[in-house]
Amino acid sequence: MVECVRVGDRSPRVAEVRATLARLGMLPGYAGDATQSAPQQWSGDDDLFDPALEQALRAFQQSRGIIADGVIREHTLHVLREASYTLGARVLSYDPLSPLTGDDVGQLQRTLQELGFYTSRVDGHFGPNTDLAVRDYQENYALRVDGICGPVTLRALSYLGCRVTGGSAASFHEREQVRQAGPQLSGKRVVIDPGLGGSRTGLSVAGPYGPISEEEILWDIASRVEGRMVAAGVETILSRPRTGDPSTVERADMANAFGADAVISLRADRYRNAKAHGVATFYYGSHQGASSLVGEQLSGLIQREIVARTNLVDCRTHARTWDVLRLTQMPTVEVAVGYLTSPVDVAILTSPEERDAIAEAIVVAVKRLYMLEDDDLPTGTFSFIELLENEAEE
């Protein structure tokens, strides 16, 4: 596990980040070794984290949809290494035990999408859908059908110039699924993903009825969402048991195996002081232009409903490439319900009545997603009782 590395620190990781950013053209004026030779060499102050490197790192983080804090963390290193791959630098194939990720995979997906063979999300993750698209392409162009994107397949791809560009087949497919699913919640499948679990209980804050942990707050909201969803006829499942804490990959795998129509992931936020407060929602979106349009729509609906029903400040919706958003095959929204380092947000989140309002906002937002053109109600006015009556009428 890589510890957080900040300005002023010295570390081999700093030299790695510096060389990678230089190769990506994001660190002008770097005079060191920016090649991909192994083992990596550095000299002088290449391993010193200076302000210029922090600025370049923040720009990279911003472009990749991750929090631009200018700190070298495990996730930032992972994304940097993904970005260092260009199509042709390595052989690509599907390994279910250790799937390949990187910009080269994303480039392959976009190429296959332009040729009409790949209709899923461009996420830089070589999964079964990418494998199927490669095999389909190989079969149609009289290549050996092995799912391996090596020199022969890459050479064949480079010969093809007539492609359909613009638009997103994956986004069209998402929207069409929502339209065909109809306005009723009954029969839909939704995964509710409360954060933490097991031995990880997060921050503990003072509530009106005594201390309450971050995990308890998230579990309570998830339970309230689940109860309303079940009452509306939704097939609902929680991503973890109360005593469990599966990894992000395991949570995503479970949602994919369940065949969910949507995933609602619940998290709480924190900051180094009490000034930050408010609710924010996140959906899958990347610097490459690939995004989940239905996820963005659902994110906006949830955000507006929560803000309208509570006193939580509107921190808006944001595109991110976090694993829980990227690895799920359906529209996924992560809801950061508030800051547990803010007395204002703590007063809201420790109130059962306010948590109930948040839960109702989420369920109503999911319903409104499927109502499409029939949704003409002002935000915050559609009650759960009215939702149930609407379900009974349809």
Side-chain angles (χ1 to χ4, degrees):
M1 190 71 178
V2 176
E3 297 179 359
C4 296
V5 183
R6 295 178 169 83
V7 172
D9 294 341
R10 282 187 180 271
S11 169
R13 299 304 181 196
V14 176
E16 178 185 354
V17 169
R18 189 184 302 279
T20 303
L21 290 174
R23 288 197 299 272
L24 295 173
M26 303 188 72
L27 197 63
Y30 175 61
D33 178 15
T35 68
Q36 299 191 44
S37 59
Q40 186 173 349
Q41 302 293 322
W42 71 86
S43 60
D45 288 334
D46 282 356
D47 62 344
L48 174 63
F49 200 158
D50 57 28
L53 180 62
E54 181 195 29
Q55 184 177 1
L57 181 60
R58 285 181 185 272
F60 172 81
Q61 291 171 324
Q62 182 71 32
S63 71
R64 296 283 163 152
I66 56 181
I67 297 174
D69 57 5
V71 177
I72 300 174
R73 307 177 192 274
E74 184 70 32
H75 181 63
T76 297
L77 273 177
H78 177 70
V79 176
L80 271 166
R81 288 164 183 163
E82 287 186 359
S84 68
Y85 292 111
T86 56
L87 189 59
R90 57 178 176 168
V91 174
L92 301 175
S93 63
Y94 176 49
D95 181 355
L97 298 179
S98 182
L100 293 174
T101 58
D103 279 20
D104 53 346
V105 179
Q107 189 177 346
L108 172 64
Q109 291 171 332
R110 285 194 301 275
T111 301
L112 291 170
Q113 188 177 79
E114 290 168 0
L115 293 169
F117 292 98
Y118 182 74
T119 58
S120 299
R121 182 185 301 167
V122 176
D123 57 8
H125 178 85
F126 202 117
N129 290 339
T130 308
D131 176 62
L132 183 62
V134 171
R135 292 176 183 273
D136 193 16
Y137 167 77
Q138 290 172 328
E139 181 177 0
N140 277 269
Y141 285 87
L143 303 175
R144 181 181 177 183
V145 182
D146 55 10
I148 299 174
C149 185
V152 175
T153 299
L154 286 171
R155 191 178 305 112
L157 284 169
S158 68
Y159 292 153
L160 298 172
C162 184
R163 301 173 182 175
V164 177
T165 59
S168 168
S171 296
F172 175 81
H173 182 62
E174 277 189 350
R175 290 196 299 269
E176 184 62 16
Q177 279 187 317
V178 170
R179 188 189 68 80
Q180 292 185 0
Q184 282 187 297
L185 283 180
S186 179
K188 305 294 191 298
R189 290 184 166 193
V190 175
V191 171
I192 306 167
D193 174 38
L196 304 176
S199 61
R200 289 201 308 140
T201 57
L203 289 179
S204 181
V205 295
Y209 308 105
I212 183 171
S213 71
E214 182 177 349
E215 189 277 335
E216 289 177 294
I217 291 172
L218 297 176
W219 184 266
D220 182 73
I221 296 174
S223 299
R224 293 171 189 268
V225 173
E226 180 189 29
R228 284 174 167 79
M229 290 263 188
V230 171
V234 180
E235 191 174 347
T236 309
I237 189 171
L238 293 169
S239 66
R240 65 172 177 85
R242 185 67 191 271
T243 57
D245 181 22
S247 68
T248 300
V249 173
E250 290 170 335
R251 295 174 193 244
D253 287 345
M254 187 278 294
N256 293 336
F258 182 58
D261 295 295
V263 177
I264 308 297
S265 186
L266 301 171
R267 300 292 187 272
D269 229 327
R270 64 190 70 185
Y271 197 62
R272 59 178 176 267
N273 58 48
K275 293 181 179 180
H277 61 111
V279 59
T281 56
F282 304 88
Y283 60 94
Y284 176 76
S286 74
H287 74 293
Q288 300 169 332
S291 65
S292 169
L293 294 187
V294 174
E296 182 178 2
Q297 183 182 0
L298 179 57
S299 176
L301 288 169
I302 292 175
Q303 181 72 16
R304 291 192 294 274
E305 288 292 337
I306 292 178
V307 170
R309 295 164 191 265
T310 69
N311 289 323
L312 288 165
V313 169
D314 185 2
C315 294
R316 306 188 183 279
T317 64
H318 307 274
R320 292 290 184 266
T321 57
W322 298 334
D323 283 349
V324 71
L325 306 174
R326 182 178 69 164
L327 299 181
T328 44
Q329 297 169 0
M330 64 292 299
T332 299
V333 174
E334 179 168 310
V335 186
V337 294
Y339 285 80
L340 294 183
T341 47
S342 163
V344 175
D345 288 3
V346 167
I348 295 172
L349 295 176
T350 55
S351 164
E353 293 77 18
E354 295 289 348
R355 294 198 298 270
D356 210 51
I358 293 172
E360 181 165 306
I362 292 172
V363 177
V364 166
V366 174
K367 170 65 174 176
R368 297 185 70 162
L369 174 71
Y370 289 99
M371 291 176 69
L372 299 176
E373 63 271 7
D374 295 328
D375 181 16
D376 57 359
L377 297 170
T379 301
T381 63
F382 193 18
S383 71
F384 182 65
I385 298 300
E386 291 172 323
L387 184 153
L388 291 179
E389 292 173 351
N390 185 279
E391 286 287 309
E393 292 173 358
E394 293 171 350

